[in-house]
Amino acid sequence: MVTTSIKEVARHAGVSVGTVSNVLNRPELVAEPTRQRVVASIDALGFVRNESARALRAGRSRTVGLVVLDVANPFFTDIARGAEDVADANDMVVTLCNSAEDLGRETRHLAHLEEQRVRGVLITPVDTGSTRLDQLVHRGIPLVLVDRGSPQADRCSVAVDDVLGGRLAVEHLVATGHQRIAFVGGPMSIPQVSDRLAGASGAVEGTPTDLLTIETSSLSVQGGRDAGEQLARLAVGRRPTGVFCANDLVALGLLQEMTRGGIQVPADVAIVGYDDIEYAAAAAVPLSSVRQPREQLGRAAAELLFDEINGSADHRHQHLVFEPDLVVRDSSRLPARATKR
Amino acid sequence: MVTTSIKEVARHAGVSVGTVSNVLNRPELVAEPTRQRVVASIDALGFVRNESARALRAGRSRTVGLVVLDVANPFFTDIARGAEDVADANDMVVTLCNSAEDLGRETRHLAHLEEQRVRGVLITPVDTGSTRLDQLVHRGIPLVLVDRGSPQADRCSVAVDDVLGGRLAVEHLVATGHQRIAFVGGPMSIPQVSDRLAGASGAVEGTPTDLLTIETSSLSVQGGRDAGEQLARLAVGRRPTGVFCANDLVALGLLQEMTRGGIQVPADVAIVGYDDIEYAAAAAVPLSSVRQPREQLGRAAAELLFDEINGSADHRHQHLVFEPDLVVRDSSRLPARATKR
DNA sequence: TCATCCTACTGAAACGTTTCATGAATGAAG
DNA sequence: CTTCATTCATGAAACGTTTCAGTAGGATGA
C-alpha cells in the first residue's frame, strides 16, 4: 500500500508542509497561485489525508458512534439515515455499530469507539442499566439515549410516546364501533409493550368496551400465529372484533392465522399493528399500523448530540418525546358495503 | 473529555512508556510483578488506548470497510455477520457503510475509508464500472467484490450462482407437473434478473413446458401485483400454473393479487420466489424460495480479503461462486388431497 | 576470575498531521 | 528614506503510540 504524505506533496509543489496543511484546512491564508500549485501536486500524487494523524494531533476525531439493536430493522435504519443527515451537515461521520441485542457485542463496540476517540455516541442500549454507559458519560463522552432507558439528568434522550401510540390504535378501533377488543403482545417486561398496553387501556376507559389481553412470548410472526389460534377458538359471540397488536410481525402472524381459519379481515376481525414496517402495506390485507417518526428521531438525537459536543458549556440535557401517528389501511377499515369498483 | 495517555500510566506505575506499551502488546517481555503494577495503574487511571496514535505509528489501521447497497436488507446483514465473524478472529474490526444504492454516498464512504487507512474493503458496488474502485486497487488497497461485478484479474470476488438458482426453481415447477410456467421479474438490465431467467430457460429446455416472461419495472411488491393482474386476466386454459419470481417481494405482490382475484395458491397457481427473506415463510401462504448462502458469502469474502492482506506476496485472486438451494413451502407444494390433519 | 548470555527495562526516534511563533517581502503612510 | 502594516510562507514542536538499539545487572560456563 503506497501512501503519499503531506511532506512529499510539499516537496513536489516546492513549498513547506505547513503551507500544504493550510491549503487543506485554511485555504484563505494561502495565495491563489500557490494554492493551485499545491492542489495540482495533490492530484498528481494522489494524496489522501491521513485521518489518524489528523485526529491524533487534534486530540479528537470527526466521528460519532451509533449503536443499534438490529441493523436489519428499518426502525434503526431510518434513525441512522436521520442521524447521518445531521452529521453530514456538521462535517462529521457516523460509524454504525450493530449490537444485535448482545451485551458482549455492544461492549466491544463501545470499547472500540472509545479507542477511536469518537466525539459522541448515540445508542439504544441492550441493557438500560448497564454501567458501561455511565462509564462513558463519566469520561466526558457525550451520549444520547435513543428510544430506551429512562430519562437521566446527565444525558439526553429521545423517544416515541408508546402510550400515545397504543391509545391512538385502540381509539380508532373504538371509534369504528368495536366493543370487544384484544391487545396482543409480549413479553410485558419490554417497556414498549407495557406502554402500548397502557395506552390501549386508557382508550377504553369510560367506554363500554371490553379489553382482553393475550400475552405472547415474543414479538414475532409465530407469536401472532399462536395468539390467532387462541382467538379462533373463541365462540363468535365472545371473540373480539378488533385486535391491536404490539408490533407488525405479531399482526402479520395473526392475520395469517385468521385467514387460514376462514375468519375475514376486517369484516370479522379488524387488526391494527405497530411500527408500519415495509411489509405492513404489502400484507395479504394491507395492515393498519402505528407509525413512528423514525427519521425525525434520528435527526433529533444527532442534533442533541452535536449541541452537547459543540457548546458543552451551556448545553442543557433534554428528553424529547415524539408522537406517533396512525396509518389506517384495509385491515381495520369499515367494510364499504355500497361501494362499487 | 479527559484522556489519560500511556505517559501518565508510566509515571503512575514508576516505569517507562516503553514498558507500558510492552504490557499492552507483548506482555511476555515484561516481568510479572511489573506487569501487574502497570495493569493496576491502567485500571486506576481508566486508561484507554488511542487507536489513532497506534494506527499512525503502525502505518496501518485495524479496520476493514464493508460497503453495502442497503443495510436494511437481510441479505447484506447476513453477509455482514459472516464478515464480522472472520474479522473478529483476525483481531480486526469491520466498519459497516451503507451506500443506499447512491453513488455519491458510496464515493464519500470510500473516501473516508481511505482516509482512515483501512486495510481492505469488501464492497457491493452501486456501479460495477466505477473507476473509484480501480483507483483503490491501484493504490494497493485489497478489495473483494461481493455479489456484483464481473470477475477481474486484479481483485477477488464472491457471488452466488443465479443461473443455477433460476434453474432449481423452475426444475422444481417442471417436476411437480407444471406445463405452463411464467418468469416474473425485471428490469432485465439487472444481471441477477437476467441470470435467473437464463436458468429458468435452461430448465424448460428439452421439455414440453412453455415459459412465458413477464417483465416488471422493479423488483418490488407493486411489480408483483401488476404482473399478477396481467396473469389473472388470462383465460384459465392459457394461464401459467406455475410462476417463478425474480425475488420474494415480487412473489409476495403476486401472491396477494392472486388471493384477491380468488385464484388459489398453490392449487391454481404455484409460486416460487427468490432470496428467502424473513417474511417469505410468514406470508399468507408460506412461500417457496431460493435461498442464498448469505452468511457463508460474507465469511468467504472476508477470508479472501484477509488472505490478501496478510500474505500479499503469494496471494492469488480468486472468484468464488456459491450454490443456492431451494426451500419448498406451501406455495408450490402439490395439494395433498388425501391427507388428514 | 573473566567472558558470555539472558532478562528486564529504558530512552529516543518515528509515524503524518496541525498550529503557532517567526521572518521575509511588499506596499502604504509619513 | 524610514516606519509600520499586511500578506505569505516557513520550520519546528506537539499529539500518543510502537519499536528498536542500548544498558544494567545477574546468572552461567570455563
Side-chain angles (χ1 to χ4, degrees), chain A residues 45-330:
Chain A
L45 300 178
F47 167 76
V48 175
R49 255 206 300 244
N50 185 324
E51 180 67 26
S52 295
R54 195 194 201 344
L56 171 59
R57 168 62 227 219
R60 52 201 165 90
S61 69
R62 281 161 54 239
T63 60
V64 300
L66 169 58
V67 187
V68 302
L69 295 177
D70 177 13
V71 268
N73 186 330
F75 178 74
F76 292 111
T77 323
D78 288 349
I79 286 178
R81 198 182 305 276
E84 277 175 12
D85 273 2
V86 177
D88 260 9
N90 289 53
D91 191 29
M92 292 263 170
V93 181
V94 176
T95 296
L96 183 58
C97 305
N98 183 23
S99 69
E101 310 230 20
D102 177 301
L103 193 59
R105 283 179 58 106
E106 178 183 284
T107 304
R108 259 180 293 147
H109 278 304
L110 288 176
H112 188 245
L113 290 173
E114 265 200 281
E115 290 186 356
Q116 293 206 123
R117 297 292 185 273
V118 289
R119 300 290 295 281
V121 172
L122 301 168
I123 185 170
T124 303
V126 173
D127 175 4
T128 58
S130 163
T131 60
R132 199 76 187 65
L133 298 183
D134 296 336
Q135 221 179 85
L136 277 191
V137 171
H138 187 249
R139 292 227 175 91
I141 299 178
L143 190 77
V144 176
L145 248 31
V146 178
D147 204 45
R148 277 227 186 165
S150 44
Q152 284 180 261
D154 60 357
R155 62 199 74 166
C156 291
S157 70
V158 298
V160 180
D161 190 340
D162 283 305
V163 177
L164 174 60
R167 188 152 61 76
L168 286 177
V170 173
E171 275 177 359
H172 161 65
L173 289 173
V174 170
T176 46
H178 296 280
Q179 305 235 335
R180 287 190 308 280
I181 295 178
F183 172 86
V184 175
M188 289 301 165
S189 55
I190 301 179
Q192 272 85 345
V193 174
S194 53
D195 282 358
R196 288 166 198 179
L197 171 57
S201 303
V204 297
E205 220 167 75
T207 73
T209 310
D210 272 355
L211 184 67
L212 169 73
T213 300
I214 300 180
E215 184 165 357
T216 61
S217 54
S218 76
L219 289 177
S220 61
V221 172
Q222 190 55 48
R225 283 205 199 107
D226 295 345
E229 213 173 308
Q230 266 181 267
L231 280 181
R233 273 203 302 268
L234 292 177
V236 173
R238 308 191 46 209
R239 187 157 64 209
T241 59
V243 180
F244 167 45
C245 299
N247 83 357
D248 283 345
L249 292 182
V250 171
L252 288 175
L254 185 76
L255 170 60
Q256 192 179 329
E257 194 63 25
M258 296 290 99
T259 310
R260 212 177 66 87
I263 300 172
Q264 299 284 322
V265 175
D268 300 332
V269 173
I271 301 180
V272 178
Y274 208 107
D275 281 349
D276 193 28
I277 64 177
E278 192 184 352
Y279 303 100
V285 180
L287 199 63
S288 297
S289 193
V290 177
R291 181 172 51 197
Q292 314 196 54
R294 310 188 279 213
E295 193 163 338
Q296 201 187 343
L297 203 63
R299 294 191 145 277
E303 274 159 9
L304 287 176
L305 188 69
F306 288 122
D307 183 62
E308 184 169 353
I309 289 173
N310 298 324
S312 52
D314 55 340
H315 172 79
R316 299 250 58 111
H317 293 301
Q318 291 177 58
H319 306 284
L320 302 184
V321 177
F322 288 88
E323 302 196 343
D325 57 356
L326 179 69
V327 184
V328 177
R329 299 203 184 85
D330 288 357

Side-chain angles (χ1 to χ4, degrees), chain A residues 14-16 18-19 29-31 34 56-57:
Chain A
V15 297
S16 72
T19 301
L29 295 184
V30 180
T34 316
L56 171 59
R57 168 62 227 219

